[in-house]
Amino acid sequence: MRKRLLPLLSGLMMLAAPAIAQTNSDTDFVAALAQAANANEVIINELQQDKLKGMGLTAAMAWHGASPWISAVNRGAKETFERHGVKVLVTTDAQYDPAKQVADIENIQALKPDMLLSLVIDGVSAKVGLQKAVDNGSGLVLLSNPIPGFVHGKEYAGIVSDDMQGMGNMAAEAVNQYLQGKGKVGVIFHDVNYFVTNTRDNAFLRALEAYPGIDIVARKGFVKEQDTSAIASAMMLRHPDIDVIYVAWDAAAEGVVEALRGDGFTQVKVVSHDLGVNNLLDMAQRGNMLASVSDRPYEIGATMARIAMLAKLGEQAPLFTLVPFDLVTRDNIKDVWQQAYQADVPRIINLALGD
């Protein structure tokens, strides 16, 4: 159901407002990204593989939610663990609820896995449970989000993530290519202190400054994905001359595409991050979705598993290890999907592409 527009009109942010305020701790992590390793540098050699198979190791995974992206991360980790003789005891889905994730981590502790992989929703609330798991001998590897106060090499072996700054830069380049250096942009950013999305959003804004002919005429933050539809409608009502809207991630962009389609703004394009079937279907049908910048979730999971196993062998990983990303357009949907998910593109997208 579409939401009322008037309350949102008065709440639209002025252009001078920053995309997101990051903490000093986050700023340090952003600087650390420049020293990150590449996922292809994390290798388990034959001697290490033989050692691992004889150790009888176990692993658990505490994820933040459920989606095709998370399933690909989980599958990449699970298959990599199993190839090296590691038994995966349990995988949990917190349903994007920090309290449930805290409970999941507490339940995992009872199993005492040798390794624990997780993307943590709220590092503050999960910290106590994770500390107990680490104290009980579970080697922790994180996906994207740091834990406040945790020390690399002590409480956790490393953080695996996409190249957040590179993805933001690429999204800006996609906008520039489409607009050919001149046009008007609306920005719908993630207005929560969340390291991954904040870094990507801010990188996008900084990169767009390099194109003086492109003007950001509206910015508005969101907390809940379901709010983006009303935000987009309000933004277009106030700025009907917008050419492109940037949205922080794919699922949040679905509401924007829906609003543009419903309000008749068929010419306005959307640029975002990640891969989702609904937006790719719109892209395949030459709708509002112009492009998305996708990381490689299967490779993220596989890299997390390798770092966790190497840590058990006494090998220390860098603070950050980054996985490559790809710009997704209608011309390469199938190739990027295969690269990201290690699976064939859904049949409905193939049909929309005319294959």
Side-chain angles (χ1 to χ4, degrees):
M1 182 178 294
R2 301 292 296 280
K3 296 179 174 61
R4 296 177 63 185
L5 305 183
L6 290 179
L8 283 167
L9 283 173
S10 62
L12 282 171
M13 287 192 170
M14 302 304 292
L15 297 184
I20 191 72
Q22 292 183 311
T23 66
N24 290 335
S25 176
D26 284 344
T27 302
D28 294 338
F29 279 115
V30 171
L33 287 172
Q35 307 300 321
N38 294 320
N40 59 11
E41 298 171 5
V42 182
I43 299 170
I44 295 176
N45 61 39
E46 290 185 10
L47 179 60
Q48 291 167 331
Q49 182 169 325
D50 290 340
K51 288 182 180 178
L52 288 167
K53 287 184 175 179
M55 293 173 71
L57 296 173
T58 60
M61 293 176 272
W63 302 127
H64 54 304
S67 70
W69 187 91
I70 298 168
S71 295
V73 172
N74 189 74
R75 187 160 45 87
K78 188 173 186 291
E79 292 178 0
T80 302
F81 276 138
E82 291 175 347
R83 280 198 300 272
H84 294 86
V86 176
K87 182 179 180 181
V88 177
L89 301 176
V90 65
T91 298
T92 60
D93 164 17
Q95 300 172 11
Y96 300 94
D97 180 351
K100 186 178 184 306
Q101 189 168 49
V102 169
D104 290 342
I105 292 168
E106 289 177 352
N107 291 332
I108 285 172
Q109 287 180 48
L111 301 175
K112 296 184 177 180
D114 295 301
M115 293 165 282
L116 173 60
L117 312 185
S118 185
L119 192 159
V120 178
I121 304 168
D122 177 13
V124 175
S125 64
K127 184 176 180 179
V128 172
L130 289 172
Q131 185 67 64
K132 289 180 180 177
V134 171
D135 291 344
N136 287 332
S138 297
L140 177 64
V141 177
L142 299 169
L143 202 173
S144 297
N145 287 333
I147 306 299
F150 271 23
V151 177
H152 172 233
K154 182 180 178 184
E155 280 86 13
Y156 64 99
I159 301 172
V160 179
S161 185
D162 49 46
D163 182 351
M164 295 166 266
Q165 293 174 309
M167 291 177 74
N169 293 342
M170 180 60 75
E173 176 59 24
V175 171
N176 177 59
Q177 287 180 5
Y178 173 72
L179 295 177
Q180 296 185 355
K182 185 176 182 180
K184 296 182 179 181
V185 175
V187 175
I188 300 178
F189 62 89
H190 192 204
D191 196 11
V192 173
N193 186 21
Y194 199 72
F195 181 63
V196 180
T197 54
N198 300 163
T199 304
R200 292 195 310 204
D201 291 349
N202 284 333
F204 171 80
L205 289 168
R206 286 193 299 270
L208 213 60
E209 293 174 357
Y211 310 115
I214 297 177
D215 297 323
I216 298 175
V217 298
R219 303 185 193 191
K220 176 64 181 177
F222 71 94
V223 176
K224 297 180 180 179
E225 290 177 350
Q226 58 264 36
D227 293 339
T228 60
S229 177
I231 290 172
S233 289
M235 187 176 284
M236 293 307 304
L237 186 60
R238 190 168 182 177
H239 302 280
D241 54 351
I242 283 176
D243 300 299
V244 177
I245 295 179
Y246 165 86
V247 193
W249 71 81
D250 176 81
E254 288 186 11
V256 176
V257 171
E258 174 194 353
L260 293 173
R261 186 187 301 127
D263 294 341
F265 290 103
T266 56
Q267 81 285 1
V268 178
K269 297 299 182 180
V270 176
V271 172
S272 188
H273 296 285
D274 309 326
L275 289 178
V277 173
N278 291 337
N279 284 333
L280 289 181
L281 182 60
D282 182 83
M283 187 187 295
Q285 295 171 331
R286 304 183 190 278
N288 294 95
M289 198 70 197
L290 173 67
S292 190
V293 184
S294 171
D295 56 20
R296 301 178 184 179
Y298 185 95
E299 191 169 345
I300 287 174
T303 304
M304 293 178 75
R306 292 198 298 272
I307 287 174
M309 289 184 288
L310 287 168
K312 287 297 175 182
L313 295 175
E315 301 289 337
Q316 182 165 332
L319 172 56
F320 279 105
T321 301
L322 302 184
V323 170
F325 59 86
D326 302 282
L327 178 65
V328 190
T329 64
R330 189 182 188 277
D331 294 336
N332 67 355
I333 290 175
K334 291 196 294 184
D335 291 340
V336 174
W337 183 281
Q338 175 66 41
Q339 181 73 259
Y341 292 129
Q342 297 293 301
D344 292 333
V345 69
R347 183 171 181 270
I348 189 171
I349 295 177
N350 264 331
L351 292 174
L353 290 169
D355 296 337

